[in-house]
Amino acid sequence: MPVDPFITVLLGTVGLAALLPARDTAADVASGASTTAVALLFFLYGARLSTREALDGLRHWRLHLTVLLCTFLVFPLLGLAAKGLVPHVLTPALYSGFLFLTLVPSTIQSSIAFTSLARGNVPAAICAGTFSSLAGVVLTPLLVAWLLADTGGGFSADAFLRIVLQLLVPFLAGQLLRRCGEWRSRAKRVRQGGGGRREGGFVTRHKKVLSLVDRCSILLVVYTAFSQGMVRGIWSQVTPARLAALLGVEAVLLAAMLSLTWYGAKRLGFGRADRVAIQFAGSKKSLAAGLPMASVLFGPQASLAVLPLMLFHQMQLMVCAVIAKRRSHDPEEFTAAGRGAATRTAAGTAPRSG
């Protein structure tokens, strides 16, 4: 089972913050750099997400609506149900982080990778992840304001302004940059049926460099958040027993979502290829989107807020890798039938068999 190398680096960053937390002037510098990093991250998210591809994928609206409902309705409902575990199983602070993880958008890259490995509907996974990321920029802060208002994650006028300036404005600026790149590309070279495929311009040509910028920015956000937690003594609230309890609760959450997305999609009439896309896109949560959001929404409490998300991220990778590998060995006639159903659905006809 895979261990995400980035998780290893994240844990190393947490260890560094525990040993050498930023204090006084260094803390102010780290906080300012973290704020800039969050804005940069959402600018890059906006520049990468193809609005055109997302709109083109609307013809498969039943699948995308199913994934969105799983991500922003079913997940939060399960998170709210876990309130009964406080305080005997989860501390109030850990529960806030657990509930927050149920509110963040789905992943894109890992959903696509696992859907491809399992021979599912990859285009649907791409569009579903894109829709979720687009919706999460708005829905996640609103859901946090509604459901976590009494735990330090709610809205004030100042918090609303920070969210707009640090998340929404950079995201929209990135989308505008991408659109300008698409228009320039079309003007230079119009491709038959495509209208110019060099979308994203600078972002597309420098994916590796910008991916490194992404990860370094996230590491800076994590270091700042966990440094604040160390200075404020937040980590004294987390014992090994509480951590083990959190892992157990998250394992139940992941198992429930994997089952609901797979068997629920079958009851809704989706074919095998679509069910694979729904399962992997509808059961995941994005660490890359959740970490910077938490730093804006929770402030000094962000370190505990992101801990459940970090653990869940690694757990979902390990479990979904096993599932995808097993699904890749499905009989060829089963996967062929699923691909046929996916084609019919994309054409506007709902599949009739699972």
PDB file of all heavy atoms in Angstrom, residues 60-80:
ATOM      1  N   HIS A  60     -23.015  15.220 -18.547  1.00  0.00           N
ATOM      2  CA  HIS A  60     -23.034  14.061 -17.661  1.00  0.00           C
ATOM      3  C   HIS A  60     -23.458  14.526 -16.261  1.00  0.00           C
ATOM      4  O   HIS A  60     -22.888  14.111 -15.251  1.00  0.00           O
ATOM      5  CB  HIS A  60     -21.639  13.438 -17.619  1.00  0.00           C
ATOM      6  CG  HIS A  60     -21.643  11.964 -17.347  1.00  0.00           C
ATOM      7  ND1 HIS A  60     -22.772  11.275 -16.969  1.00  0.00           N
ATOM      8  CD2 HIS A  60     -20.652  11.039 -17.367  1.00  0.00           C
ATOM      9  CE1 HIS A  60     -22.479  10.000 -16.782  1.00  0.00           C
ATOM     10  NE2 HIS A  60     -21.187   9.834 -17.017  1.00  0.00           N
ATOM     11  N   TRP A  61     -24.477  15.357 -16.230  1.00  0.00           N
ATOM     12  CA  TRP A  61     -24.816  16.089 -15.017  1.00  0.00           C
ATOM     13  C   TRP A  61     -25.244  15.181 -13.869  1.00  0.00           C
ATOM     14  O   TRP A  61     -25.008  15.499 -12.695  1.00  0.00           O
ATOM     15  CB  TRP A  61     -25.914  17.110 -15.318  1.00  0.00           C
ATOM     16  CG  TRP A  61     -27.225  16.496 -15.746  1.00  0.00           C
ATOM     17  CD1 TRP A  61     -27.610  16.206 -17.021  1.00  0.00           C
ATOM     18  CD2 TRP A  61     -28.292  16.100 -14.890  1.00  0.00           C
ATOM     19  NE1 TRP A  61     -28.857  15.639 -17.027  1.00  0.00           N
ATOM     20  CE2 TRP A  61     -29.312  15.566 -15.732  1.00  0.00           C
ATOM     21  CE3 TRP A  61     -28.515  16.138 -13.517  1.00  0.00           C
ATOM     22  CZ2 TRP A  61     -30.513  15.081 -15.237  1.00  0.00           C
ATOM     23  CZ3 TRP A  61     -29.714  15.646 -13.011  1.00  0.00           C
ATOM     24  CH2 TRP A  61     -30.704  15.131 -13.865  1.00  0.00           C
ATOM     25  N   ARG A  62     -25.866  14.039 -14.156  1.00  0.00           N
ATOM     26  CA  ARG A  62     -26.311  13.153 -13.070  1.00  0.00           C
ATOM     27  C   ARG A  62     -25.127  12.648 -12.255  1.00  0.00           C
ATOM     28  O   ARG A  62     -25.178  12.593 -11.019  1.00  0.00           O
ATOM     29  CB  ARG A  62     -27.095  11.969 -13.639  1.00  0.00           C
ATOM     30  CG  ARG A  62     -28.467  12.322 -14.203  1.00  0.00           C
ATOM     31  CD  ARG A  62     -29.168  11.091 -14.740  1.00  0.00           C
ATOM     32  NE  ARG A  62     -29.520  10.149 -13.684  1.00  0.00           N
ATOM     33  CZ  ARG A  62     -28.970   8.936 -13.541  1.00  0.00           C
ATOM     34  NH1 ARG A  62     -28.019   8.528 -14.386  1.00  0.00           N
ATOM     35  NH2 ARG A  62     -29.365   8.142 -12.573  1.00  0.00           N
ATOM     36  N   LEU A  63     -24.053  12.287 -12.931  1.00  0.00           N
ATOM     37  CA  LEU A  63     -22.879  11.800 -12.224  1.00  0.00           C
ATOM     38  C   LEU A  63     -22.245  12.911 -11.389  1.00  0.00           C
ATOM     39  O   LEU A  63     -21.900  12.693 -10.215  1.00  0.00           O
ATOM     40  CB  LEU A  63     -21.866  11.245 -13.228  1.00  0.00           C
ATOM     41  CG  LEU A  63     -20.606  10.587 -12.653  1.00  0.00           C
ATOM     42  CD1 LEU A  63     -20.124   9.464 -13.583  1.00  0.00           C
ATOM     43  CD2 LEU A  63     -19.466  11.588 -12.463  1.00  0.00           C
ATOM     44  N   HIS A  64     -22.099  14.097 -11.978  1.00  0.00           N
ATOM     45  CA  HIS A  64     -21.454  15.184 -11.249  1.00  0.00           C
ATOM     46  C   HIS A  64     -22.295  15.630 -10.066  1.00  0.00           C
ATOM     47  O   HIS A  64     -21.762  15.953  -9.001  1.00  0.00           O
ATOM     48  CB  HIS A  64     -21.196  16.360 -12.185  1.00  0.00           C
ATOM     49  CG  HIS A  64     -20.397  15.984 -13.394  1.00  0.00           C
ATOM     50  ND1 HIS A  64     -19.269  15.187 -13.310  1.00  0.00           N
ATOM     51  CD2 HIS A  64     -20.555  16.268 -14.707  1.00  0.00           C
ATOM     52  CE1 HIS A  64     -18.772  15.004 -14.518  1.00  0.00           C
ATOM     53  NE2 HIS A  64     -19.532  15.648 -15.378  1.00  0.00           N
ATOM     54  N   LEU A  65     -23.618  15.654 -10.238  1.00  0.00           N
ATOM     55  CA  LEU A  65     -24.496  16.019  -9.130  1.00  0.00           C
ATOM     56  C   LEU A  65     -24.387  14.997  -7.999  1.00  0.00           C
ATOM     57  O   LEU A  65     -24.378  15.356  -6.816  1.00  0.00           O
ATOM     58  CB  LEU A  65     -25.943  16.118  -9.622  1.00  0.00           C
ATOM     59  CG  LEU A  65     -26.990  16.508  -8.560  1.00  0.00           C
ATOM     60  CD1 LEU A  65     -26.666  17.884  -7.974  1.00  0.00           C
ATOM     61  CD2 LEU A  65     -28.391  16.504  -9.174  1.00  0.00           C
ATOM     62  N   THR A  66     -24.267  13.718  -8.365  1.00  0.00           N
ATOM     63  CA  THR A  66     -24.107  12.670  -7.353  1.00  0.00           C
ATOM     64  C   THR A  66     -22.834  12.874  -6.550  1.00  0.00           C
ATOM     65  O   THR A  66     -22.832  12.765  -5.315  1.00  0.00           O
ATOM     66  CB  THR A  66     -24.083  11.282  -8.029  1.00  0.00           C
ATOM     67  OG1 THR A  66     -25.306  11.085  -8.745  1.00  0.00           O
ATOM     68  CG2 THR A  66     -23.918  10.180  -6.992  1.00  0.00           C
ATOM     69  N   VAL A  67     -21.720  13.180  -7.240  1.00  0.00           N
ATOM     70  CA  VAL A  67     -20.452  13.401  -6.543  1.00  0.00           C
ATOM     71  C   VAL A  67     -20.533  14.633  -5.644  1.00  0.00           C
ATOM     72  O   VAL A  67     -20.063  14.617  -4.498  1.00  0.00           O
ATOM     73  CB  VAL A  67     -19.302  13.551  -7.558  1.00  0.00           C
ATOM     74  CG1 VAL A  67     -18.007  13.982  -6.859  1.00  0.00           C
ATOM     75  CG2 VAL A  67     -19.075  12.235  -8.299  1.00  0.00           C
ATOM     76  N   LEU A  68     -21.142  15.711  -6.139  1.00  0.00           N
ATOM     77  CA  LEU A  68     -21.271  16.928  -5.333  1.00  0.00           C
ATOM     78  C   LEU A  68     -22.115  16.684  -4.088  1.00  0.00           C
ATOM     79  O   LEU A  68     -21.796  17.180  -2.998  1.00  0.00           O
ATOM     80  CB  LEU A  68     -21.884  18.051  -6.172  1.00  0.00           C
ATOM     81  CG  LEU A  68     -20.981  18.681  -7.225  1.00  0.00           C
ATOM     82  CD1 LEU A  68     -21.760  19.698  -8.056  1.00  0.00           C
ATOM     83  CD2 LEU A  68     -19.780  19.356  -6.585  1.00  0.00           C
ATOM     84  N   LEU A  69     -23.185  15.917  -4.226  1.00  0.00           N
ATOM     85  CA  LEU A  69     -24.031  15.616  -3.069  1.00  0.00           C
ATOM     86  C   LEU A  69     -23.282  14.765  -2.051  1.00  0.00           C
ATOM     87  O   LEU A  69     -23.428  14.956  -0.840  1.00  0.00           O
ATOM     88  CB  LEU A  69     -25.309  14.913  -3.524  1.00  0.00           C
ATOM     89  CG  LEU A  69     -26.319  15.780  -4.278  1.00  0.00           C
ATOM     90  CD1 LEU A  69     -27.499  14.940  -4.762  1.00  0.00           C
ATOM     91  CD2 LEU A  69     -26.814  16.923  -3.396  1.00  0.00           C
ATOM     92  N   CYS A  70     -22.482  13.818  -2.545  1.00  0.00           N
ATOM     93  CA  CYS A  70     -21.666  13.010  -1.631  1.00  0.00           C
ATOM     94  C   CYS A  70     -20.668  13.880  -0.885  1.00  0.00           C
ATOM     95  O   CYS A  70     -20.473  13.738   0.335  1.00  0.00           O
ATOM     96  CB  CYS A  70     -20.925  11.918  -2.403  1.00  0.00           C
ATOM     97  SG  CYS A  70     -21.975  10.593  -3.039  1.00  0.00           S
ATOM     98  N   THR A  71     -20.042  14.807  -1.622  1.00  0.00           N
ATOM     99  CA  THR A  71     -18.969  15.626  -1.048  1.00  0.00           C
ATOM    100  C   THR A  71     -19.487  16.670  -0.075  1.00  0.00           C
ATOM    101  O   THR A  71     -18.909  16.868   1.001  1.00  0.00           O
ATOM    102  CB  THR A  71     -18.183  16.316  -2.173  1.00  0.00           C
ATOM    103  OG1 THR A  71     -17.676  15.331  -3.076  1.00  0.00           O
ATOM    104  CG2 THR A  71     -17.017  17.130  -1.614  1.00  0.00           C
ATOM    105  N   PHE A  72     -20.570  17.355  -0.444  1.00  0.00           N
ATOM    106  CA  PHE A  72     -21.017  18.501   0.343  1.00  0.00           C
ATOM    107  C   PHE A  72     -22.333  18.281   1.084  1.00  0.00           C
ATOM    108  O   PHE A  72     -22.827  19.212   1.728  1.00  0.00           O
ATOM    109  CB  PHE A  72     -21.141  19.731  -0.570  1.00  0.00           C
ATOM    110  CG  PHE A  72     -19.831  20.178  -1.159  1.00  0.00           C
ATOM    111  CD1 PHE A  72     -19.580  20.038  -2.524  1.00  0.00           C
ATOM    112  CD2 PHE A  72     -18.840  20.708  -0.357  1.00  0.00           C
ATOM    113  CE1 PHE A  72     -18.370  20.442  -3.066  1.00  0.00           C
ATOM    114  CE2 PHE A  72     -17.624  21.117  -0.898  1.00  0.00           C
ATOM    115  CZ  PHE A  72     -17.389  20.984  -2.251  1.00  0.00           C
ATOM    116  N   LEU A  73     -22.906  17.079   1.019  1.00  0.00           N
ATOM    117  CA  LEU A  73     -24.121  16.788   1.774  1.00  0.00           C
ATOM    118  C   LEU A  73     -23.963  15.534   2.630  1.00  0.00           C
ATOM    119  O   LEU A  73     -24.113  15.591   3.855  1.00  0.00           O
ATOM    120  CB  LEU A  73     -25.317  16.633   0.832  1.00  0.00           C
ATOM    121  CG  LEU A  73     -26.649  16.317   1.520  1.00  0.00           C
ATOM    122  CD1 LEU A  73     -27.043  17.444   2.473  1.00  0.00           C
ATOM    123  CD2 LEU A  73     -27.756  16.079   0.493  1.00  0.00           C
ATOM    124  N   VAL A  74     -23.653  14.399   1.992  1.00  0.00           N
ATOM    125  CA  VAL A  74     -23.552  13.146   2.741  1.00  0.00           C
ATOM    126  C   VAL A  74     -22.381  13.185   3.719  1.00  0.00           C
ATOM    127  O   VAL A  74     -22.525  12.835   4.903  1.00  0.00           O
ATOM    128  CB  VAL A  74     -23.409  11.945   1.777  1.00  0.00           C
ATOM    129  CG1 VAL A  74     -23.309  10.644   2.578  1.00  0.00           C
ATOM    130  CG2 VAL A  74     -24.601  11.880   0.830  1.00  0.00           C
ATOM    131  N   PHE A  75     -21.230  13.620   3.253  1.00  0.00           N
ATOM    132  CA  PHE A  75     -20.058  13.738   4.127  1.00  0.00           C
ATOM    133  C   PHE A  75     -20.355  14.617   5.356  1.00  0.00           C
ATOM    134  O   PHE A  75     -20.123  14.205   6.506  1.00  0.00           O
ATOM    135  CB  PHE A  75     -18.866  14.313   3.366  1.00  0.00           C
ATOM    136  CG  PHE A  75     -17.769  13.314   3.078  1.00  0.00           C
ATOM    137  CD1 PHE A  75     -17.422  12.986   1.781  1.00  0.00           C
ATOM    138  CD2 PHE A  75     -17.072  12.723   4.117  1.00  0.00           C
ATOM    139  CE1 PHE A  75     -16.400  12.074   1.518  1.00  0.00           C
ATOM    140  CE2 PHE A  75     -16.043  11.810   3.871  1.00  0.00           C
ATOM    141  CZ  PHE A  75     -15.705  11.485   2.569  1.00  0.00           C
ATOM    142  N   PRO A  76     -20.881  15.852   5.159  1.00  0.00           N
ATOM    143  CA  PRO A  76     -21.177  16.683   6.334  1.00  0.00           C
ATOM    144  C   PRO A  76     -22.218  16.066   7.263  1.00  0.00           C
ATOM    145  O   PRO A  76     -22.118  16.233   8.488  1.00  0.00           O
ATOM    146  CB  PRO A  76     -21.705  17.988   5.706  1.00  0.00           C
ATOM    147  CG  PRO A  76     -21.053  18.043   4.377  1.00  0.00           C
ATOM    148  CD  PRO A  76     -21.009  16.626   3.900  1.00  0.00           C
ATOM    149  N   LEU A  77     -23.199  15.362   6.712  1.00  0.00           N
ATOM    150  CA  LEU A  77     -24.197  14.727   7.574  1.00  0.00           C
ATOM    151  C   LEU A  77     -23.556  13.670   8.468  1.00  0.00           C
ATOM    152  O   LEU A  77     -23.890  13.556   9.659  1.00  0.00           O
ATOM    153  CB  LEU A  77     -25.312  14.101   6.720  1.00  0.00           C
ATOM    154  CG  LEU A  77     -26.269  15.090   6.053  1.00  0.00           C
ATOM    155  CD1 LEU A  77     -27.260  14.348   5.159  1.00  0.00           C
ATOM    156  CD2 LEU A  77     -27.022  15.919   7.104  1.00  0.00           C
ATOM    157  N   LEU A  78     -22.633  12.893   7.907  1.00  0.00           N
ATOM    158  CA  LEU A  78     -21.913  11.916   8.717  1.00  0.00           C
ATOM    159  C   LEU A  78     -21.031  12.614   9.751  1.00  0.00           C
ATOM    160  O   LEU A  78     -20.868  12.130  10.882  1.00  0.00           O
ATOM    161  CB  LEU A  78     -21.066  11.013   7.819  1.00  0.00           C
ATOM    162  CG  LEU A  78     -21.846  10.063   6.898  1.00  0.00           C
ATOM    163  CD1 LEU A  78     -20.897   9.288   5.993  1.00  0.00           C
ATOM    164  CD2 LEU A  78     -22.702   9.096   7.713  1.00  0.00           C
ATOM    165  N   GLY A  79     -20.449  13.749   9.345  1.00  0.00           N
ATOM    166  CA  GLY A  79     -19.654  14.516  10.297  1.00  0.00           C
ATOM    167  C   GLY A  79     -20.485  15.032  11.459  1.00  0.00           C
ATOM    168  O   GLY A  79     -20.064  14.984  12.622  1.00  0.00           O
ATOM    169  N   LEU A  80     -21.686  15.496  11.166  1.00  0.00           N
ATOM    170  CA  LEU A  80     -22.580  15.969  12.226  1.00  0.00           C
ATOM    171  C   LEU A  80     -23.028  14.822  13.129  1.00  0.00           C
ATOM    172  O   LEU A  80     -23.178  14.997  14.340  1.00  0.00           O
ATOM    173  CB  LEU A  80     -23.797  16.658  11.604  1.00  0.00           C
ATOM    174  CG  LEU A  80     -23.540  18.007  10.927  1.00  0.00           C
ATOM    175  CD1 LEU A  80     -24.786  18.477  10.202  1.00  0.00           C
ATOM    176  CD2 LEU A  80     -23.100  19.052  11.959  1.00  0.00           C
TER     177      LEU A  80
END
